Amino acid sequence: MSESGEISEFGYIMELIARGKVTIKNIERELICPACKELFTHPLILPCQHSICHKCVKELLLTLDDSFNDVGSDNSNQSSPRLWLHSPSLDKVDRINRPGWKRNSLTPRTTIFPCPGCEHDVDLGERGINGLFRNFTLETIVEKYRQAARAATAIMCDLCKPPPQESTKSCMDCSASYCNECFKIYHPWGTVKAQHEYVGPTTNFRPKILMCPEHETERINMYCELCRRPVCHLCKLGGDHSNHRVTTMSNAYKTLKEKLSKDIDYLIGKESQVKRQISELNLLMKETECNGERAKEEAITHFEKLFEILEERKSCVLKAIDASKKLRLDKFQTQMEEYQGLLENNGLVGYAQEVLKETDQSCFVQTAKQLHLRIQKATESLKSFRPAAQTSFEDYVVDTSKQTEVLGELSFFSSGVDVPEINEEQSKAYNKALINWHHPEKDRADSYVLEYRKINRDEEMLSWNEIEVCGTSKVISELESNCKYAFRVRAYKGSVCSPCSRELILHTPPAPVFSFLFDEKCGYNNEHLSLNLKRDRVESRAGFNLLLAAERIQVGCYTSLDYIIGDVGITKGKHFWAFRVEPYSYLVKAGVASSDKLQEWLRSPRDAVSPRYEQDSGHDSGSEDASFDSSQPFTLVTIGMKKFFIPKSPTSSNEPENRVLPMPTSIGIFLDYDKGKVSFYDMDHMKCLYERQVDCSHTMYPAFALMGSGGIQLEELITAKYLEYQEDM
């Protein structure tokens, strides 16, 4: 690729930078090497398309190789005194042990390198680092960033005598910077050097032509679409890319630039969306910060309550210990005083000695009797000494083992409210959206919040709409047609909120829902068909009537289709309706038909004309063998035996296995009267199964036909009464 080509490839981004739409500072994160976390220096492009500094590749390879050797030496000699700080992880050792790893081999077949960007192993091939391209475009952007970062620092002339002058231009051919005087000296007029290409002062010099790393004398002129890398013609003729699909460099340049420009334009066009999402993230960050502080305050409150309880219990325990200690000390003090009285000239003994001095016999006897009892008691206590109290406080040891275990397991508890689950089978989108969910009865919530939001075609998520609900179901109105909506619900019990449920994605019908009932007058055959009172369900009772017509069967008669139509016609606009076919149904036809065609069908005697062989009837082979380009005033598809049969079409495969699909649970019909087109949908996934043109020059009616046993149930509109009925069920 030429220098001018690379500059033009790089020019789009530089033009945005020059206009101020993209500042160099804002793209700094894209210019950081994933290995050294510094600005790229001579970045190389790995096979996985990530870039990494040249020195980082070498250092990583050497580190992994040294780590492997260190592991081997340590395993062979456990007493080795060598100490290495960077121990390789097990996955790195595993990479080195894989076949093909370059390990002290002079002729390696392959080199496996762990990319720090995607954390995947990439094969560097036989040439290893030498087979990688330099990312000159990224290198140029990094240099622009460096110049913007050091705008005040000038690039000096490389050829000036000291002191050097500030350079004014750089020669890309000479890979040097010059001041005006030196540039004139070394690039004189009339010489070859005068034709050299020069740019503004820079330190980033790159070759004008990219050469092939595999074949160093060959220039790059092709692009391998399989390996997604530039190659030369020798690589294609006999190298590793000989069997790969390649394209010219100009085509690759044009294609990749168009894709890149388109993607950049798309991102720039979504600036408002990005800003809105950034604002939403800022709000979420603020909310997270507030919730985090609130959680900390609540945790502090709980611990303070625990501290208060512990302090209260501590005070009670200490008071009990102090009371017991005082009581015991008082008992010991009393006992000690009693024993001190037994000493001579002290207490009881001294008193007894004084009593013995009494000479009056009557007085002595009166006093000595009580004194003798006390002396006897003191004598007995001397013979069997017992302390008045215990010194041990074993009964006052606090057992905190259980509490310690509980406190050790102290952790966060759940909100106490289980996550509600949306019932996908009972939730649907028709004329409105009906969302049902269930919640454990043992933990019934006080209320619920149903959230929903629209998903744009480019999967852009809009903000959530919230509806407070007291029950476990909700009907949502005013949803746009042919749109995807996401629904989720969370439960509230008091002020405690549960996490949100798993999101349910529903697709609304492609047009407003058309409301009608089965017509019990026009063409309705009550001998073969049974219509319920609400006129939204019809069943075929052909079995008994077939037995009654046994004689006609013997002469070759056939069983006919029994028609029934909607009671409302369509004259303009877009309309959609849905119905269910009972699984036991033998043959059911459904679609649309014009008023004049219906009159023709219903006027024909059932025992005289066979609609199967009417070329424009649309009942079986007639409609399928007719001209595909002709627009008929009717379209009916066949459903039965739990299958959905797609009519023949010139634009799709007509093989039987491709035309027979499993019967959907619910089938939708979309009629665009103004464009003259009818489509059939699988309601479960809102997927179009078949569509074709139809002549809408007359009033169009929903049309159905049954043969044999069968049943059709019109999809009921979602209303508030429908919701009450579902809750009763």
Side-chain angles (χ1 to χ4, degrees), residues 575-590:
H575 304 275
F576 183 87
W577 62 92
F579 60 93
R580 297 192 301 273
V581 176
E582 296 297 339
Y584 63 82
S585 301
Y586 174 69
L587 189 150
V588 172
K589 286 184 174 288

Side-chain angles (χ1 to χ4, degrees), residues 179-191:
C179 63
N180 286 331
E181 295 299 327
C182 290
F183 187 81
K184 293 178 181 179
I185 296 174
Y186 291 96
H187 296 77
W189 289 103
T191 63

Side-chain angles (χ1 to χ4, degrees), residues 631-643:
S631 179
Q632 302 179 90
F634 66 94
T635 295
L636 299 174
V637 296
T638 303
I639 309 150
M641 302 177 66
K642 298 182 181 180
K643 302 294 182 182

Side-chain angles (χ1 to χ4, degrees), residues 67 111 148 258 287 299 404 433 442 489 517 617 623 631 706:
S67 299
T111 302
E258 288 178 355
E287 183 179 355
T404 302
K442 64 179 181 179
V489 64
L517 299 173
S617 68
S623 64
S631 179
L706 297 92

Side-chain angles (χ1 to χ4, degrees), residues 22 29 56 185 199 215 246 268 324 331 387 433 493 531 534 550 571 596 647 657 680:
V22 179
R29 59 182 299 178
C56 294
I185 296 174
V199 295
H215 311 92
V246 299
I268 294 176
S324 178
K331 290 182 179 181
K493 193 171 185 179
L531 195 61
K534 295 174 64 176
T571 57
D596 59 337
E657 59 271 13
F680 297 85

Side-chain angles (χ1 to χ4, degrees), residues 216-431:
E216 299 178 354
T217 59
E218 300 295 329
R219 60 177 296 178
I220 295 299
N221 55 6
M222 288 183 288
Y223 183 80
C224 178
E225 296 181 352
L226 179 62
C227 301
R228 296 185 300 174
R229 60 175 296 172
V231 295
C232 69
H233 70 282
L234 292 182
C235 294
K236 174 60 179 172
L237 291 177
D240 296 336
H241 308 271
S242 57
N243 297 324
H244 296 178
R245 182 179 177 180
V246 299
T247 183
T248 62
M249 189 60 66
S250 59
N251 289 339
Y253 168 76
K254 181 179 179 181
T255 302
L256 293 176
K257 184 174 182 179
E258 288 178 355
K259 289 181 179 180
L260 181 60
S261 301
K262 184 178 180 181
D263 293 340
I264 293 176
D265 292 338
Y266 174 82
L267 292 176
I268 294 176
K270 294 294 181 179
E271 183 176 359
S272 59
Q273 176 186 346
V274 174
K275 290 182 178 179
R276 183 172 64 252
Q277 293 176 351
I278 291 175
S279 301
E280 184 176 351
L281 290 174
N282 287 329
L283 293 176
L284 292 176
M285 291 175 62
K286 292 180 180 179
E287 183 179 355
T288 301
E289 187 174 353
C290 294
N291 292 338
E293 293 298 326
R294 188 182 301 112
K296 285 176 60 177
E297 293 175 359
E298 292 178 356
I300 292 173
T301 302
H302 288 302
F303 278 104
E304 287 178 349
K305 289 182 179 179
L306 289 177
F307 294 154
E308 291 177 2
I309 295 174
L310 289 174
E311 286 293 335
E312 182 181 355
R313 296 303 303 163
K314 175 183 175 182
S315 177
C316 293
V317 169
L318 294 180
K319 286 181 180 179
I321 293 175
D322 288 339
S324 178
K325 181 181 72 172
K326 184 177 182 303
L327 179 61
R328 297 183 188 191
L329 290 176
D330 290 343
K331 290 182 179 181
F332 280 125
Q333 183 65 31
T334 302
Q335 188 179 20
M336 186 175 62
E337 290 176 356
E338 290 178 355
Y339 275 86
Q340 286 178 349
L342 300 180
L343 298 177
E344 186 179 1
N345 299 325
N346 287 323
L348 181 61
V349 175
Y351 174 66
Q353 290 175 348
E354 292 297 328
V355 171
L356 289 176
K357 295 178 182 181
E358 178 63 48
T359 58
D360 189 335
Q361 295 181 357
S362 301
C363 293
F364 176 81
V365 171
Q366 182 181 5
T367 306
K369 184 179 181 180
Q370 183 182 7
L371 180 61
H372 184 259
L373 294 175
R374 294 177 62 189
I375 292 295
Q376 284 183 336
K377 185 177 181 181
T379 302
E380 291 177 359
S381 65
L382 286 174
K383 295 179 180 180
S384 57
F385 174 76
R386 290 183 180 178
Q390 294 182 356
T391 59
S392 173
F393 280 80
E394 294 179 355
D395 296 338
Y396 289 87
V397 176
V398 180
D399 183 10
T400 60
S401 58
K402 294 182 179 180
Q403 290 76 10
T404 302
E405 182 179 356
V406 172
L407 290 175
E409 297 176 355
L410 185 64
S411 181
F412 302 105
F413 71 99
S414 62
S415 62
V417 183
D418 291 339
V419 180
E421 296 182 7
I422 296 180
N423 192 326
E424 298 185 8
E425 295 181 356
Q426 297 183 5
S427 301
K428 64 177 182 178
Y430 193 40
N431 60 317

Side-chain angles (χ1 to χ4, degrees), residues 3 10 22 26 28 67 130 137 148 163 230 236 252 258 268 288 380 473 481 499 538 626 634 707:
E3 175 74 9
F10 170 67
V22 179
N26 292 338
E28 179 179 357
S67 299
N130 296 329
T137 302
K236 174 60 179 172
E258 288 178 355
I268 294 176
T288 301
E380 291 177 359
S473 56
S481 300
V538 62
F634 66 94
M707 177 185 291

